[in-house]
mmCIF file of all heavy atoms in Angstrom:
data_model
loop_
_atom_site.group_PDB
_atom_site.id
_atom_site.type_symbol
_atom_site.label_atom_id
_atom_site.label_comp_id
_atom_site.label_asym_id
_atom_site.label_seq_id
_atom_site.Cartn_x
_atom_site.Cartn_y
_atom_site.Cartn_z
ATOM 1 N N LEU A 1 149.624 14.754 183.871
ATOM 2 C CA LEU A 1 150.791 15.587 183.944
ATOM 3 C C LEU A 1 151.947 15.095 184.673
ATOM 4 O O LEU A 1 152.970 15.680 184.539
ATOM 5 C CB LEU A 1 150.410 16.948 184.502
ATOM 6 C CG LEU A 1 149.354 17.796 183.658
ATOM 7 C CD1 LEU A 1 148.887 19.093 184.326
ATOM 8 C CD2 LEU A 1 149.839 18.056 182.239
ATOM 9 N N ALA A 2 151.784 14.045 185.397
ATOM 10 C CA ALA A 2 152.909 13.345 186.105
ATOM 11 C C ALA A 2 153.531 12.280 185.150
ATOM 12 O O ALA A 2 154.546 11.816 185.565
ATOM 13 C CB ALA A 2 152.402 12.688 187.361
ATOM 14 N N ASP A 3 152.891 12.033 183.958
ATOM 15 C CA ASP A 3 153.279 10.991 183.028
ATOM 16 C C ASP A 3 154.326 11.556 181.981
ATOM 17 O O ASP A 3 153.798 12.445 181.148
ATOM 18 C CB ASP A 3 152.235 10.341 182.406
ATOM 19 C CG ASP A 3 152.540 9.279 181.343
ATOM 20 O OD1 ASP A 3 153.778 8.927 181.296
ATOM 21 O OD2 ASP A 3 151.624 8.863 180.645
ATOM 22 N N PRO A 4 155.648 11.283 182.095
ATOM 23 C CA PRO A 4 156.547 11.928 181.019
ATOM 24 C C PRO A 4 156.152 11.716 179.599
ATOM 25 O O PRO A 4 156.344 12.521 178.675
ATOM 26 C CB PRO A 4 157.874 11.227 181.416
ATOM 27 C CG PRO A 4 157.733 10.638 182.763
ATOM 28 C CD PRO A 4 156.271 10.376 182.885
ATOM 29 N N GLU A 5 155.557 10.536 179.309
ATOM 30 C CA GLU A 5 155.126 10.201 178.002
ATOM 31 C C GLU A 5 154.003 11.232 177.483
ATOM 32 O O GLU A 5 154.034 11.685 176.404
ATOM 33 C CB GLU A 5 154.695 8.696 177.831
ATOM 34 C CG GLU A 5 154.309 8.353 176.375
ATOM 35 C CD GLU A 5 155.413 8.447 175.358
ATOM 36 O OE1 GLU A 5 156.641 8.352 175.840
ATOM 37 O OE2 GLU A 5 155.205 8.466 174.196
ATOM 38 N N THR A 6 153.097 11.428 178.375
ATOM 39 C CA THR A 6 152.013 12.379 178.077
ATOM 40 C C THR A 6 152.509 13.789 177.794
ATOM 41 O O THR A 6 152.085 14.535 177.067
ATOM 42 C CB THR A 6 151.091 12.333 179.179
ATOM 43 O OG1 THR A 6 150.410 11.001 179.408
ATOM 44 C CG2 THR A 6 149.786 13.327 178.920
ATOM 45 N N THR A 7 153.485 14.151 178.714
ATOM 46 C CA THR A 7 153.958 15.591 178.604
ATOM 47 C C THR A 7 155.169 15.818 177.780
ATOM 48 O O THR A 7 155.743 16.966 177.757
ATOM 49 C CB THR A 7 154.298 16.036 179.985
ATOM 50 O OG1 THR A 7 155.340 15.379 180.705
ATOM 51 C CG2 THR A 7 152.990 16.026 180.855
ATOM 52 N N ARG A 8 155.742 14.776 177.046
ATOM 53 C CA ARG A 8 157.077 14.994 176.408
ATOM 54 C C ARG A 8 157.106 16.150 175.377
ATOM 55 O O ARG A 8 157.960 16.665 175.150
ATOM 56 C CB ARG A 8 157.494 13.686 175.792
ATOM 57 C CG ARG A 8 156.756 13.279 174.552
ATOM 58 C CD ARG A 8 157.348 11.905 174.095
ATOM 59 N NE ARG A 8 156.397 11.276 173.230
ATOM 60 C CZ ARG A 8 156.651 10.608 172.241
ATOM 61 N NH1 ARG A 8 157.835 10.506 171.805
ATOM 62 N NH2 ARG A 8 155.616 10.170 171.540
ATOM 63 N N PHE A 9 155.861 16.442 174.653
ATOM 64 C CA PHE A 9 155.932 17.581 173.810
ATOM 65 C C PHE A 9 155.020 18.738 174.238
ATOM 66 O O PHE A 9 154.872 19.701 173.549
ATOM 67 C CB PHE A 9 155.311 17.052 172.368
ATOM 68 C CG PHE A 9 156.076 15.988 171.778
ATOM 69 C CD1 PHE A 9 155.507 14.753 171.394
ATOM 70 C CD2 PHE A 9 157.382 16.255 171.337
ATOM 71 C CE1 PHE A 9 156.283 13.912 170.858
ATOM 72 C CE2 PHE A 9 158.128 15.268 170.711
ATOM 73 C CZ PHE A 9 157.539 14.043 170.402
ATOM 74 N N LEU A 10 154.477 18.624 175.476
ATOM 75 C CA LEU A 10 153.644 19.540 176.069
ATOM 76 C C LEU A 10 154.200 20.927 176.179
ATOM 77 O O LEU A 10 153.566 22.015 175.936
ATOM 78 C CB LEU A 10 153.030 18.993 177.334
ATOM 79 C CG LEU A 10 152.019 20.035 178.039
ATOM 80 C CD1 LEU A 10 150.838 20.043 177.176
ATOM 81 C CD2 LEU A 10 151.635 19.428 179.404
ATOM 82 N N TYR A 11 155.497 21.010 176.618
ATOM 83 C CA TYR A 11 156.068 22.238 176.911
ATOM 84 C C TYR A 11 156.828 22.911 175.693
ATOM 85 O O TYR A 11 157.509 23.914 175.731
ATOM 86 C CB TYR A 11 156.863 22.108 178.053
ATOM 87 C CG TYR A 11 156.259 21.760 179.264
ATOM 88 C CD1 TYR A 11 156.253 20.469 179.714
ATOM 89 C CD2 TYR A 11 155.291 22.629 179.945
ATOM 90 C CE1 TYR A 11 155.411 19.917 180.745
ATOM 91 C CE2 TYR A 11 154.485 22.156 180.955
ATOM 92 C CZ TYR A 11 154.751 20.823 181.400
ATOM 93 O OH TYR A 11 153.888 20.337 182.434
ATOM 94 N N GLY A 12 156.902 22.130 174.527
ATOM 95 C CA GLY A 12 157.711 22.668 173.364
ATOM 96 C C GLY A 12 159.076 22.888 173.753
ATOM 97 O O GLY A 12 159.736 22.098 174.312
ATOM 98 N N ARG A 13 159.560 24.038 173.303
ATOM 99 C CA ARG A 13 160.892 24.302 173.595
ATOM 100 C C ARG A 13 161.157 24.968 174.833
ATOM 101 O O ARG A 13 162.324 25.206 175.259
ATOM 102 C CB ARG A 13 161.491 25.317 172.414
ATOM 103 C CG ARG A 13 161.513 24.631 171.021
ATOM 104 C CD ARG A 13 162.009 25.566 170.073
ATOM 105 N NE ARG A 13 161.633 25.204 168.733
ATOM 106 C CZ ARG A 13 162.334 24.338 167.989
ATOM 107 N NH1 ARG A 13 163.429 23.863 168.572
ATOM 108 N NH2 ARG A 13 162.073 23.996 166.803
ATOM 109 N N ARG A 14 160.150 25.208 175.681
ATOM 110 C CA ARG A 14 160.363 25.761 177.039
ATOM 111 C C ARG A 14 160.789 24.521 177.912
ATOM 112 O O ARG A 14 160.600 23.453 177.715
ATOM 113 C CB ARG A 14 158.946 26.239 177.567
ATOM 114 C CG ARG A 14 158.404 27.418 176.822
ATOM 115 C CD ARG A 14 156.933 27.750 177.271
ATOM 116 N NE ARG A 14 156.155 26.602 177.045
ATOM 117 C CZ ARG A 14 154.891 26.397 177.482
ATOM 118 N NH1 ARG A 14 154.366 27.363 178.168
ATOM 119 N NH2 ARG A 14 154.269 25.362 177.201
ATOM 120 N N ALA A 15 161.391 25.084 179.106
ATOM 121 C CA ALA A 15 161.965 24.149 180.068
ATOM 122 C C ALA A 15 160.641 23.455 180.713
ATOM 123 O O ALA A 15 159.783 24.035 181.061
ATOM 124 C CB ALA A 15 162.823 24.798 181.055
ATOM 125 N N ARG A 16 160.807 22.158 180.780
ATOM 126 C CA ARG A 16 159.813 21.347 181.519
ATOM 127 C C ARG A 16 159.953 21.777 182.945
ATOM 128 O O ARG A 16 161.035 21.871 183.640
ATOM 129 C CB ARG A 16 160.089 19.848 181.359
ATOM 130 C CG ARG A 16 159.310 18.854 182.160
ATOM 131 C CD ARG A 16 159.752 17.476 182.010
ATOM 132 N NE ARG A 16 159.718 16.982 180.677
ATOM 133 C CZ ARG A 16 158.563 16.491 180.022
ATOM 134 N NH1 ARG A 16 157.533 16.343 180.634
ATOM 135 N NH2 ARG A 16 158.608 16.080 178.792
ATOM 136 N N PRO A 17 158.785 21.877 183.674
ATOM 137 C CA PRO A 17 158.822 22.143 185.139
ATOM 138 C C PRO A 17 159.465 20.923 185.867
ATOM 139 O O PRO A 17 159.450 19.833 185.448
ATOM 140 C CB PRO A 17 157.329 22.203 185.477
ATOM 141 C CG PRO A 17 156.576 22.244 184.246
ATOM 142 C CD PRO A 17 157.401 21.778 183.174
ATOM 143 N N ARG A 18 160.116 21.339 186.935
ATOM 144 C CA ARG A 18 160.764 20.304 187.759
ATOM 145 C C ARG A 18 159.843 19.285 188.381
ATOM 146 O O ARG A 18 160.129 18.134 188.355
ATOM 147 C CB ARG A 18 161.646 20.955 188.890
ATOM 148 C CG ARG A 18 162.821 21.792 188.395
ATOM 149 C CD ARG A 18 163.578 22.376 189.536
ATOM 150 N NE ARG A 18 164.592 23.144 189.006
ATOM 151 C CZ ARG A 18 165.702 23.385 189.512
ATOM 152 N NH1 ARG A 18 166.042 22.800 190.648
ATOM 153 N NH2 ARG A 18 166.577 24.262 188.986
ATOM 154 N N THR A 19 158.650 19.774 188.671
ATOM 155 C CA THR A 19 157.672 18.897 189.283
ATOM 156 C C THR A 19 156.361 19.131 188.546
ATOM 157 O O THR A 19 156.024 20.348 188.195
ATOM 158 C CB THR A 19 157.505 18.928 190.792
ATOM 159 O OG1 THR A 19 157.152 20.266 191.082
ATOM 160 C CG2 THR A 19 158.804 18.554 191.425
ATOM 161 N N PRO A 20 155.492 18.134 188.229
ATOM 162 C CA PRO A 20 154.145 18.581 187.773
ATOM 163 C C PRO A 20 153.329 19.360 188.665
ATOM 164 O O PRO A 20 153.679 19.385 189.960
ATOM 165 C CB PRO A 20 153.500 17.228 187.554
ATOM 166 C CG PRO A 20 154.267 16.131 188.355
ATOM 167 C CD PRO A 20 155.674 16.770 188.653
ATOM 168 N N PRO A 21 152.340 20.051 188.281
ATOM 169 C CA PRO A 21 151.565 20.842 189.250
ATOM 170 C C PRO A 21 150.905 19.934 190.159
ATOM 171 O O PRO A 21 150.576 18.792 189.937
ATOM 172 C CB PRO A 21 150.444 21.487 188.269
ATOM 173 C CG PRO A 21 150.738 21.088 186.887
ATOM 174 C CD PRO A 21 151.931 20.174 186.895
ATOM 175 N N SER A 22 150.646 20.506 191.386
ATOM 176 C CA SER A 22 149.898 19.613 192.493
ATOM 177 C C SER A 22 148.553 19.625 192.184
ATOM 178 O O SER A 22 147.927 20.392 191.301
ATOM 179 C CB SER A 22 150.231 20.417 193.910
ATOM 180 O OG SER A 22 149.509 21.564 193.827
ATOM 181 N N LEU A 23 147.921 18.653 192.743
ATOM 182 C CA LEU A 23 146.350 18.519 192.688
ATOM 183 C C LEU A 23 145.726 19.803 193.098
ATOM 184 O O LEU A 23 144.820 20.387 192.503
ATOM 185 C CB LEU A 23 145.960 17.525 193.536
ATOM 186 C CG LEU A 23 144.533 16.949 193.481
ATOM 187 C CD1 LEU A 23 144.049 16.752 191.960
ATOM 188 C CD2 LEU A 23 144.260 15.816 194.386
ATOM 189 N N ASP A 24 146.204 20.468 194.132
ATOM 190 C CA ASP A 24 145.603 21.773 194.645
ATOM 191 C C ASP A 24 145.783 22.815 193.502
ATOM 192 O O ASP A 24 144.810 23.646 193.250
ATOM 193 C CB ASP A 24 146.256 22.226 196.055
ATOM 194 C CG ASP A 24 145.741 21.429 197.099
ATOM 195 O OD1 ASP A 24 144.678 20.818 196.998
ATOM 196 O OD2 ASP A 24 146.419 21.479 198.154
ATOM 197 N N GLU A 25 146.924 22.873 192.959
ATOM 198 C CA GLU A 25 147.205 23.840 191.894
ATOM 199 C C GLU A 25 146.257 23.629 190.702
ATOM 200 O O GLU A 25 145.718 24.654 190.155
ATOM 201 C CB GLU A 25 148.620 23.876 191.395
ATOM 202 C CG GLU A 25 149.621 24.448 192.480
ATOM 203 C CD GLU A 25 151.077 24.128 192.126
ATOM 204 O OE1 GLU A 25 151.396 23.023 191.431
ATOM 205 O OE2 GLU A 25 151.943 24.983 192.476
ATOM 206 N N LEU A 26 145.952 22.441 190.361
ATOM 207 C CA LEU A 26 145.104 22.147 189.266
ATOM 208 C C LEU A 26 143.747 22.420 189.506
ATOM 209 O O LEU A 26 142.921 22.910 188.666
ATOM 210 C CB LEU A 26 145.369 20.688 188.746
ATOM 211 C CG LEU A 26 146.766 20.381 188.108
ATOM 212 C CD1 LEU A 26 146.903 18.857 188.083
ATOM 213 C CD2 LEU A 26 146.851 21.048 186.767
ATOM 214 N N SER A 27 143.394 22.072 190.643
ATOM 215 C CA SER A 27 141.955 22.412 191.068
ATOM 216 C C SER A 27 141.741 23.817 191.112
ATOM 217 O O SER A 27 140.719 24.391 190.627
ATOM 218 C CB SER A 27 141.709 21.863 192.415
ATOM 219 O OG SER A 27 140.270 22.104 193.000
ATOM 220 N N ASP A 28 142.689 24.660 191.653
ATOM 221 C CA ASP A 28 142.654 26.150 191.661
ATOM 222 C C ASP A 28 142.573 26.673 190.170
ATOM 223 O O ASP A 28 141.788 27.568 189.861
ATOM 224 C CB ASP A 28 143.856 26.686 192.424
ATOM 225 C CG ASP A 28 143.767 28.196 192.381
ATOM 226 O OD1 ASP A 28 142.801 28.782 192.933
ATOM 227 O OD2 ASP A 28 144.741 28.877 191.977
ATOM 228 N N TRP A 29 143.331 26.177 189.344
ATOM 229 C CA TRP A 29 143.363 26.497 187.854
ATOM 230 C C TRP A 29 141.949 26.322 187.290
ATOM 231 O O TRP A 29 141.463 27.187 186.602
ATOM 232 C CB TRP A 29 144.352 25.700 187.030
ATOM 233 C CG TRP A 29 144.297 25.962 185.460
ATOM 234 C CD1 TRP A 29 144.872 26.945 184.834
ATOM 235 C CD2 TRP A 29 143.445 25.268 184.676
ATOM 236 N NE1 TRP A 29 144.393 27.010 183.586
ATOM 237 C CE2 TRP A 29 143.596 25.850 183.429
ATOM 238 C CE3 TRP A 29 142.632 24.164 184.746
ATOM 239 C CZ2 TRP A 29 143.065 25.353 182.271
ATOM 240 C CZ3 TRP A 29 142.099 23.658 183.554
ATOM 241 C CH2 TRP A 29 142.211 24.308 182.407
ATOM 242 N N ALA A 30 141.368 25.117 187.594
ATOM 243 C CA ALA A 30 140.011 24.755 187.092
ATOM 244 C C ALA A 30 139.021 25.806 187.601
ATOM 245 O O ALA A 30 138.135 26.333 186.864
ATOM 246 C CB ALA A 30 139.659 23.438 187.440
ATOM 247 N N HIS A 31 139.043 26.142 188.867
ATOM 248 C CA HIS A 31 138.000 27.161 189.293
ATOM 249 C C HIS A 31 138.266 28.535 188.839
ATOM 250 O O HIS A 31 137.293 29.224 188.440
ATOM 251 C CB HIS A 31 138.165 27.117 190.901
ATOM 252 C CG HIS A 31 137.606 25.874 191.633
ATOM 253 N ND1 HIS A 31 136.441 25.529 191.540
ATOM 254 C CD2 HIS A 31 138.275 24.949 192.277
ATOM 255 C CE1 HIS A 31 136.097 24.436 192.227
ATOM 256 N NE2 HIS A 31 137.267 23.982 192.587
ATOM 257 N N ARG A 32 139.489 28.840 188.651
ATOM 258 C CA ARG A 32 139.744 30.141 188.024
ATOM 259 C C ARG A 32 139.339 30.283 186.580
ATOM 260 O O ARG A 32 138.790 31.122 186.141
ATOM 261 C CB ARG A 32 141.278 30.632 188.054
ATOM 262 C CG ARG A 32 141.644 31.113 189.509
ATOM 263 C CD ARG A 32 143.103 31.513 189.614
ATOM 264 N NE ARG A 32 144.063 30.374 189.419
ATOM 265 C CZ ARG A 32 144.895 30.113 188.593
ATOM 266 N NH1 ARG A 32 144.996 30.971 187.464
ATOM 267 N NH2 ARG A 32 145.586 29.030 188.565
ATOM 268 N N THR A 33 139.654 29.155 185.872
ATOM 269 C CA THR A 33 139.228 29.127 184.361
ATOM 270 C C THR A 33 137.703 29.021 184.271
ATOM 271 O O THR A 33 137.255 29.826 183.501
ATOM 272 C CB THR A 33 139.873 27.823 183.847
ATOM 273 O OG1 THR A 33 141.263 27.976 183.846
ATOM 274 C CG2 THR A 33 139.334 27.722 182.442
ATOM 275 N N LEU A 34 136.981 28.402 185.177
ATOM 276 C CA LEU A 34 135.531 28.262 185.119
ATOM 277 C C LEU A 34 134.967 29.621 185.373
ATOM 278 O O LEU A 34 133.844 30.056 184.923
ATOM 279 C CB LEU A 34 134.990 27.178 185.965
ATOM 280 C CG LEU A 34 135.245 25.782 185.398
ATOM 281 C CD1 LEU A 34 134.909 24.808 186.450
ATOM 282 C CD2 LEU A 34 134.515 25.515 184.168
ATOM 283 N N ALA A 35 135.562 30.430 186.233
ATOM 284 C CA ALA A 35 135.044 31.704 186.627
ATOM 285 C C ALA A 35 135.413 32.811 185.622
ATOM 286 O O ALA A 35 134.883 33.891 185.697
ATOM 287 C CB ALA A 35 135.589 32.101 188.095
ATOM 288 N N ASP A 36 136.342 32.511 184.720
ATOM 289 C CA ASP A 36 136.852 33.522 183.777
ATOM 290 C C ASP A 36 135.944 33.663 182.506
ATOM 291 O O ASP A 36 135.973 32.578 181.664
ATOM 292 C CB ASP A 36 138.333 33.273 183.449
ATOM 293 C CG ASP A 36 138.871 34.328 182.647
ATOM 294 O OD1 ASP A 36 138.101 35.247 181.892
ATOM 295 O OD2 ASP A 36 140.122 34.357 182.465
#
């Protein structure tokens, strides 16, 4: 997610976030997703 080539189409017409998600945010997302 820190690689602009990887994310160039990821957000579609939405605005690209100013910074990629942090490692802690991604880890938290994974734990929430696995628990859902």
Side-chain angles (χ1 to χ4, degrees):
L1 294 176
D3 177 8
E5 184 63 25
T6 299
T7 61
R8 76 182 154 139
F9 297 121
L10 185 63
Y11 302 102
R13 297 183 194 275
R14 295 173 300 173
R16 174 185 299 273
R18 289 180 189 215
T19 60
S22 71
L23 185 56
D24 287 341
E25 289 170 327
L26 290 169
S27 181
D28 181 57
W29 173 85
H31 289 292
R32 283 184 288 117
T33 297
L34 289 169
D36 186 342

